[in-house]
Amino acid sequence: MDVSKVLAAHQAQFKPITVEKLIPLEYDLNLLAGFDTNPIDENTLKNKKEKYLVELIRDNTQLIVNEIFKLPVKTTDAGVVAELPSRTTALPREKALPKEKQMTRWEKFAKIKGIQNQKRERMVWDEDRQEYKARYGYSGGAKDTTEDWLIEVPDNGNPMEDQYEKKREDKKGRVEKNAKRQKRNQEEAAVAPLMSGQGLMKKSNIPVLPTKGISLKPKTRSNTKLKPKSKPKTRS
């Protein structure tokens, strides 16, 4: 039985993997993209638009696949994969660049003095409790002396003064002081763009207060005289 005609008909359904282009394509295989700079046949595009575009896409896709098969491969848990090269096409950003964050008062001071922040360990050893605890945050931070069963009275202190109450007041003062500093830093960071010329309010954005119905002069009494009330009439 001669099946050559059947095989030829079956093979005719598929196009060859080799594609000839007048101008070779430029590839960016990291993005799995190819750039075709060959001129478009306007007559064929106008008369047989769908067929022309399908054939063009098929040929360019085949060229990209051929280039991928030329890349070095490696074996992974997912199977044999190709190692893509570095990207050669610069794509635009989706969003604008983030604005530069204003430096805090401490950051400015550290920059002038050359102080560099060193990363410290999160957990520290507490000698009194014989356990590790967080350096900052809940159950961490500086040692709370208000929990001590005994507090030594300083040499120049008042022996009749409650040292526990004094420690609590000092801690409360430090908390309030830190809160004021934080608020001041936030206000300075908010004003900094205005001082540098950024974010200034436009004249059209300045709110205008309504003047209708607002009396600018103090009210004065009218000069009209009030009529005295008439006395009730009595019957004789």
Side-chain angles (χ1 to χ4, degrees):
M1 182 178 178
D2 188 8
V3 294
S4 58
K5 293 183 178 180
V6 178
L7 294 175
H10 180 72
Q11 189 175 2
Q13 297 178 1
F14 304 98
K15 293 186 177 182
I17 62 173
T18 57
V19 180
E20 297 294 335
K21 287 281 187 177
L22 182 62
I23 302 175
L25 269 65
E26 297 179 2
Y27 303 97
D28 189 348
L29 296 180
N30 184 273
L31 300 175
L32 302 179
F35 305 96
D36 189 357
T37 57
N38 288 277
I40 297 175
D41 190 350
E42 296 182 0
N43 294 330
T44 308
L45 179 63
K46 185 177 181 180
N47 298 328
K48 301 178 181 180
K49 181 178 180 180
E50 294 295 332
K51 183 179 179 181
Y52 177 75
L53 292 178
V54 169
E55 292 179 353
L56 183 63
I57 293 171
R58 182 265 163 197
D59 292 343
N60 290 340
T61 305
Q62 183 64 59
L63 290 173
I64 295 175
V65 172
N66 293 345
E67 293 296 323
I68 292 175
F69 271 87
K70 296 178 183 178
L71 296 174
V73 296
K74 63 179 180 180
T75 304
T76 62
D77 296 338
V80 180
V81 296
E83 297 182 359
L84 297 178
S86 301
R87 182 180 299 184
T88 59
T89 305
L91 297 178
R93 287 179 59 91
E94 179 185 0
K95 299 179 181 179
L97 290 172
K99 296 182 180 179
E100 185 178 356
K101 188 177 180 180
Q102 298 294 332
M103 298 177 64
T104 62
R105 183 182 292 268
W106 162 250
E107 290 174 345
K108 294 178 181 177
F109 175 78
K111 184 177 180 181
I112 295 173
K113 297 296 184 179
I115 302 174
Q116 296 181 356
N117 293 332
Q118 295 181 356
K119 189 174 181 180
R120 309 170 78 180
E121 295 182 0
R122 181 177 175 273
M123 304 299 292
V124 293
W125 177 257
D126 190 351
E127 293 290 345
D128 297 336
R129 301 181 181 179
Q130 294 296 309
E131 62 180 3
Y132 282 98
K133 66 176 184 177
R135 186 184 297 272
Y136 307 106
Y138 178 73
S139 73
K143 183 180 178 182
D144 190 2
T145 55
T146 58
E147 297 181 358
D148 293 344
W149 68 276
L150 178 65
I151 299 179
E152 184 179 358
V153 178
D155 295 336
N156 56 351
N158 185 4
M160 303 304 296
E161 185 179 14
D162 187 351
Q163 298 298 323
Y164 291 95
E165 183 66 23
K166 183 180 179 182
K167 294 287 185 181
R168 285 192 288 268
E169 291 295 332
D170 293 344
K171 183 177 180 180
K172 183 178 179 181
R174 290 194 300 270
V175 172
E176 293 178 353
K177 186 176 180 180
N178 290 335
K180 291 181 180 178
R181 288 181 176 178
Q182 183 179 5
K183 183 178 179 182
R184 181 189 61 190
N185 291 337
Q186 292 175 353
E187 293 175 351
E188 290 180 354
V191 175
L194 300 178
M195 299 298 293
S196 60
Q198 300 176 358
L200 294 176
M201 295 181 65
K202 296 181 180 179
K203 186 176 181 180
S204 58
N205 296 335
I206 299 177
V208 179
L209 296 177
T211 57
K212 185 177 180 181
I214 298 178
S215 177
L216 301 179
K217 294 182 179 180
K219 294 182 179 180
T220 56
R221 294 184 178 181
S222 60
N223 296 327
T224 56
K225 296 182 179 181
L226 298 177
K227 295 181 180 182
K229 294 183 179 180
S230 58
K231 296 181 180 181
K233 296 181 181 180
T234 56
R235 295 180 180 180
S236 57

